[in-house]
Amino acid sequence: MVAQKRVLLKDVASSIGVSTTVVSIVLNGKAKQNRISDKMSQLVIKTAQDMKYSPNLIARNLRGGKSQLIGLIVTDISNSFFSTLSRTIEKRAKELNYTVIYASSDENYHDMKKLIEMLLLKGVDGLMIVPCDGSEEIIAELYENNIPLVMVERFFPNLDVSFSCLNNCKATQLATQHLIGQGYRNISLIAYNSQMSNVRDRIEGYEKCMKQAGLSDFVNIKLVNIINPKQEIGKALDHLINKKHVEAVIFTTNTISIQGLYCLNEMGIKIPDKIAVIGFDESDLFNLFYSPITYIKQPVVQIGEEAVNILVDKIKNTGIMKKSIVILEPELVIMKSSLKNKMSNPL
Amino acid sequence: MVAQKRVLLKDVASSIGVSTTVVSIVLNGKAKQNRISDKMSQLVIKTAQDMKYSPNLIARNLRGGKSQLIGLIVTDISNSFFSTLSRTIEKRAKELNYTVIYASSDENYHDMKKLIEMLLLKGVDGLMIVPCDGSEEIIAELYENNIPLVMVERFFPNLDVSFSCLNNCKATQLATQHLIGQGYRNISLIAYNSQMSNVRDRIEGYEKCMKQAGLSDFVNIKLVNIINPKQEIGKALDHLINKKHVEAVIFTTNTISIQGLYCLNEMGIKIPDKIAVIGFDESDLFNLFYSPITYIKQPVVQIGEEAVNILVDKIKNTGIMKKSIVILEPELVIMKSSLKNKMSNPL
DNA sequence: CTGAAAGCGCTTACAG
DNA sequence: CTGAAAGCGCTTACAG
């Protein structure tokens, strides 16, 4: 009933009648370099197993300065994109013998800063961060302090910090081209009012594509606040539909997509008859909506895995200043919501 | 550019010209008990702040045996119920000065065991676990080893381990009663093929309610495998609808609900005209489905918060054997999918 | 009121 | 081939 006393290094050492040095060396796979006899090696390994010895990682950490912990700061772990991303990261980290501590910043750089401090205090070996507006200085400071670091999903182009993310420009280009191909002209886009790379690139991809198609006059971009966006999305849609008479709208995040669908439903707007829609990221809702929603799919798994690879490389090679960049390609999954329905137009 | 050398306890001590003992005592708020002069106390605190001293938690951990880390094992962090639960837990833990390490077991007790070992190695002060089939012995062993522990969302009734969860029996009772109240008689239920308390209680609530209403003949329970359930759910629904001619179905988890809706859509079954539906947990999909889905809502926030409260209490009072049980009440959110539509029956 | 010293459980130069 | 000893950065009896 009483907690068993843990088996220590010295316990296995004394049970063999040898110093802790030998045991430590053998168990860390450095027997050869230290010319420990094979017999001894095997005896140590067997004894350690028999006694169920497992090293105290705290002590090893204090001594060696390595915790095998990675800190991951997303904006909101309850957002399905980030929870999927986090699982991927957890899995890949585990393969490389690291454990992940997650935390959510809520797109607030003050909170992010506190979380970073907390994670560093916990002795994490490196950080994976989804940066938010206002956090550029924080990231820059980490970089200057030589803390192994990788940005995920978004990045600051002016910093020499590595990152892994989607080709966001390409993402909205794919969507816009598809809509134009369907015969739509008056195509609009709703994005968050943010300076982050992912948002800006998504906007840019759309604008560029519209201009190339000679549709500059139809460029309509609505920006909504990242906190509690629903009301603003409603207003934006109302304006776009009733004043601008747009034929199609591209939602640039999963949350905007979902809130946008709520709004369109409440307004009684039919998709795609009245308006064509393209969403972002994956969702069961897109598939099961009365008019299944075409969406831009991110390669979440690769984004996460590559981020881990970059970070672990940095942790193992501290001092080597290398900016690694991984940009992954989007995929457009075409459903009914973006197809021109030649039959159903009531006019 | 070079990583700044961290300020240590001895740095602030020597900068004042005092021993590390004094600094440590003051900074740990034990000045009074050790009769340190007020002047000295204040000087120490001020100097530590000025020098931006922050303690090395690893060292403190090694010395004191406390990490202020909590391990949380859910079945799948990318499941929206668990990601929401985890955020709640993270938040409450932070208020109590703990950091959470999450991991996903995938309903596999072998994986769970490995994750627990890993978390203990990392020096967590306690564990929060969503147990899965086959894990009773693992949980029992942790309990016997006096490891602070709380089960979340599910529990083993035969163990004296504390837990926080939904009143699952009540949950399906609410749903069944509501359907009976609407005039449905032939009501069925789909659940996972699992021995866990949450599943068993959800089944029991339904059965009990049907019997009390004199509808024993209509009790129809379909069990589906927890891994890749879609195909089995499809078969179950086909059988229930085409052979048993059921009028209503209760889905007992969020994943079953969503996969069930996929199946019903593919089968071309109209809700609620052909069949009434009640789902479990919250989802934007339920609200935005062509026929909004009535659902059983869990008080996720309270479940998470109470679990943290219980665990931290255990961590702080190790040795006191107390089984704390928190059972929270469900809410039925009524939408169109479970209402008897008197107008539309085509017969 | 305050300091010298031990110790948490490891790893790793250093010496032999 | 192997051991004694220092040290990672703290906290806490113990002594004065």
Side-chain angles (χ1 to χ4, degrees):
Chain A
M1 272 308 170
V2 174
Q4 292 138 326
K5 197 159 179 314
R6 219 172 136 158
V7 179
L8 305 179
L9 193 66
K10 67 175 176 190
D11 295 331
V12 359
S14 67
S15 120
I16 310 181
V18 89
S19 78
T20 57
T21 308
V22 175
V23 180
S24 173
I25 286 173
V26 171
L27 262 28
N28 285 303
K30 299 182 179 169
K32 289 275 178 263
Q33 315 157 35
N34 292 70
R35 324 204 318 150
I36 307 278
S37 68
D38 277 5
K39 266 188 214 164
M40 181 53 83
S41 266
Q42 286 167 18
L43 178 60
V44 167
I45 290 168
K46 181 161 186 345
T47 311
Q49 278 174 353
D50 289 350
M51 298 178 72
K52 297 193 177 171
Y53 168 72
S54 65
N56 179 324
L57 297 187
I58 311 288
R60 179 181 280 178
N61 183 357
L62 178 59
R63 178 57 226 249
K66 291 291 173 202
S67 62
Q68 299 296 122
L69 286 174
I70 285 176
L72 166 62
I73 298 182
V74 298
T75 61
D76 179 8
I77 189 75
S78 68
N79 177 316
S80 65
F81 174 76
F82 289 117
S83 63
T84 307
L85 179 72
S86 300
R87 266 228 74 171
T88 295
I89 288 173
E90 177 188 329
K91 191 162 165 240
R92 179 63 183 146
K94 200 172 156 194
E95 287 169 4
L96 299 176
N97 211 18
Y98 285 85
T99 303
V100 179
I101 304 184
Y102 314 82
S104 302
S105 71
D106 278 322
E107 303 278 0
N108 178 322
Y109 70 93
H110 289 114
D111 288 359
M112 176 188 280
K113 186 160 188 181
K114 279 187 204 153
L115 291 172
I116 291 172
E117 281 163 7
M118 182 272 286
L119 290 168
L120 290 176
L121 242 44
K122 293 287 179 194
V124 297
D125 293 340
L127 289 168
M128 315 186 66
I129 299 181
V130 177
C132 59
D133 273 323
S135 67
E136 184 156 2
E137 279 178 36
I138 301 172
I139 304 285
E141 196 185 328
L142 291 170
Y143 176 75
E144 278 161 22
N145 285 324
N146 267 320
I147 291 165
L149 177 66
V150 63
M151 292 184 284
V152 193
E153 210 242 336
R154 314 170 184 175
F155 62 95
F156 291 112
N158 296 327
L159 299 183
D160 286 333
V161 179
S162 301
F163 60 85
S164 168
C165 73
L166 176 71
N167 187 338
N168 284 291
C169 198
K170 183 77 166 294
T172 41
Q173 276 180 13
L174 275 182
T176 312
Q177 272 162 6
H178 165 70
L179 288 169
I180 293 173
Q182 286 292 310
Y184 294 107
R185 293 291 171 266
N186 196 344
I187 301 165
S188 60
L189 174 139
I190 300 184
Y192 281 129
N193 183 8
S194 158
Q195 295 305 309
M196 294 308 303
S197 64
N198 58 336
V199 173
R200 296 200 330 196
D201 289 351
R202 289 173 199 183
I203 292 174
E204 186 187 323
Y206 157 77
E207 271 186 313
K208 201 184 272 180
C209 204
M210 290 293 278
K211 280 176 188 161
Q212 280 173 1
L215 299 174
S216 299
D217 291 348
F218 289 119
V219 169
N220 261 310
I221 299 164
K222 290 283 183 185
L223 299 181
V224 297
N225 200 312
I226 207 158
I227 309 296
N228 280 329
K230 178 155 184 216
Q231 209 185 352
E232 293 189 27
I233 293 173
K235 271 194 211 166
L237 283 169
D238 180 60
H239 187 257
L240 289 172
I241 293 170
N242 296 319
K243 297 279 190 275
K244 297 287 188 178
H245 307 291
V246 303
E247 303 167 296
V249 60
I250 299 170
F251 294 128
T252 54
T253 74
N254 60 354
T255 43
I256 294 178
S257 305
I258 291 168
Q259 296 306 323
L261 293 179
Y262 271 103
C263 294
L264 289 172
N265 258 14
E266 285 165 17
M267 294 162 73
I269 303 287
K270 284 293 165 203
I271 301 169
D273 306 347
K274 179 75 181 175
I275 192 168
V277 165
I278 294 187
F280 218 100
D281 297 329
E282 294 168 86
S283 165
D284 292 310
L285 173 59
F286 293 166
N287 296 322
L288 290 176
F289 202 64
Y290 68 84
S291 166
I293 305 293
T294 295
Y295 59 91
I296 297 158
K297 181 176 171 178
Q298 299 200 48
V300 200
V301 175
Q302 290 93 313
I303 291 176
E305 286 182 353
E306 290 292 347
V308 177
N309 293 344
I310 292 171
L311 182 60
V312 170
D313 183 60
K314 288 226 166 301
I315 291 173
K316 292 194 171 159
N317 302 293
T318 33
I320 300 178
M321 287 299 172
K322 182 176 72 173
K323 180 174 182 179
S324 304
I325 294 180
V326 174
I327 296 177
L328 294 148
E329 296 304 314
E331 181 189 343
L332 188 70
V333 180
I334 297 172
M335 310 282 261
K336 200 178 153 198
S337 74
S338 61
L339 300 182
K340 194 112 185 180
N341 191 338
K342 280 126 192 161
M343 313 302 294
S344 71
N345 196 321
L347 298 183
Chain B
M1 273 308 171
V2 174
Q4 292 138 326
K5 197 159 178 315
R6 215 171 139 159
V7 179
L8 304 179
L9 193 65
K10 67 176 176 191
D11 296 330
V12 1
S14 67
S15 121
I16 310 182
V18 88
S19 78
T20 58
T21 308
V22 175
V23 180
S24 172
I25 286 172
V26 170
L27 262 29
N28 285 303
K30 298 182 179 168
K32 289 276 177 264
Q33 315 156 38
N34 292 69
R35 323 204 317 148
I36 308 277
S37 67
D38 278 5
K39 267 189 215 164
M40 181 54 84
S41 265
Q42 286 167 17
L43 177 60
V44 167
I45 290 169
K46 182 161 184 347
T47 311
Q49 278 174 354
D50 290 350
M51 298 179 72
K52 296 192 179 172
Y53 168 73
S54 65
N56 179 321
L57 297 187
I58 312 287
R60 180 181 278 179
N61 183 357
L62 179 58
R63 178 59 226 247
K66 291 292 172 202
S67 63
Q68 300 296 123
L69 285 174
I70 285 176
L72 167 62
I73 299 181
V74 297
T75 60
D76 179 8
I77 188 75
S78 68
N79 176 317
S80 64
F81 175 77
F82 290 116
S83 63
T84 307
L85 180 71
S86 299
R87 266 227 72 173
T88 294
I89 288 174
E90 177 188 330
K91 193 163 163 237
R92 179 63 183 147
K94 200 173 157 194
E95 288 170 3
L96 299 176
N97 211 18
Y98 284 85
T99 303
V100 178
I101 304 184
Y102 313 82
S104 302
S105 71
D106 278 323
E107 303 278 1
N108 179 321
Y109 71 91
H110 288 114
D111 288 358
M112 176 187 283
K113 186 162 188 179
K114 278 187 206 154
L115 291 174
I116 290 171
E117 281 163 7
M118 181 273 286
L119 290 169
L120 291 175
L121 243 43
K122 292 289 179 193
V124 297
D125 293 340
L127 289 169
M128 314 184 68
I129 299 181
V130 178
C132 60
D133 272 324
S135 66
E136 184 157 1
E137 278 178 36
I138 300 172
I139 304 285
E141 196 184 329
L142 290 171
Y143 176 75
E144 277 160 23
N145 285 323
N146 267 320
I147 291 166
L149 178 65
V150 63
M151 293 184 284
V152 193
E153 209 242 338
R154 314 171 184 175
F155 62 96
F156 291 112
N158 296 327
L159 299 183
D160 287 332
V161 179
S162 302
F163 61 84
S164 167
C165 74
L166 177 71
N167 186 337
N168 284 291
C169 198
K170 183 77 166 291
T172 41
Q173 275 180 11
L174 276 182
T176 312
Q177 271 161 6
H178 164 70
L179 289 168
I180 294 174
Q182 286 292 310
Y184 293 106
R185 294 289 171 270
N186 197 342
I187 302 164
S188 61
L189 174 139
I190 300 185
Y192 281 128
N193 184 8
S194 158
Q195 295 306 309
M196 294 306 304
S197 63
N198 57 337
V199 174
R200 297 201 330 197
D201 289 351
R202 288 173 200 184
I203 292 174
E204 187 189 322
Y206 157 78
E207 272 187 313
K208 200 184 274 182
C209 202
M210 290 292 277
K211 280 176 189 162
Q212 280 173 1
L215 300 174
S216 299
D217 290 349
F218 289 119
V219 168
N220 261 310
I221 299 163
K222 291 284 183 185
L223 299 181
V224 296
N225 201 310
I226 207 158
I227 308 295
N228 281 330
K230 177 153 184 217
Q231 209 185 351
E232 293 189 29
I233 292 172
K235 270 195 212 165
L237 283 169
D238 180 59
H239 188 256
L240 289 173
I241 292 169
N242 297 319
K243 297 279 188 276
K244 296 287 186 177
H245 308 290
V246 303
E247 305 166 295
V249 60
I250 299 170
F251 295 129
T252 55
T253 74
N254 59 353
T255 42
I256 294 179
S257 306
I258 291 168
Q259 296 306 323
L261 293 179
Y262 272 103
C263 295
L264 289 173
N265 258 15
E266 285 166 15
M267 294 162 73
I269 304 288
K270 283 296 166 202
I271 302 169
D273 307 346
K274 179 75 181 172
I275 192 168
V277 165
I278 293 186
F280 218 101
D281 297 330
E282 295 167 84
S283 165
D284 291 311
L285 173 60
F286 293 165
N287 297 321
L288 290 175
F289 203 65
Y290 69 84
S291 166
I293 305 292
T294 295
Y295 59 91
I296 297 158
K297 179 177 172 179
Q298 299 200 46
V300 201
V301 175
Q302 288 94 312
I303 292 176
E305 286 182 352
E306 290 292 346
V308 177
N309 293 345
I310 292 171
L311 182 60
V312 170
D313 183 61
K314 287 224 168 303
I315 292 173
K316 292 195 172 157
N317 303 292
T318 33
I320 300 178
M321 287 299 171
K322 183 177 70 173
K323 180 174 182 178
S324 305
I325 295 179
V326 174
I327 297 178
L328 294 148
E329 296 304 315
E331 181 189 344
L332 187 71
V333 179
I334 297 172
M335 311 282 262
K336 198 177 154 198
S337 75
S338 62
L339 301 182
K340 195 115 188 177
N341 190 338
K342 280 125 193 163
M343 313 303 294
S344 71
N345 198 321
L347 299 184

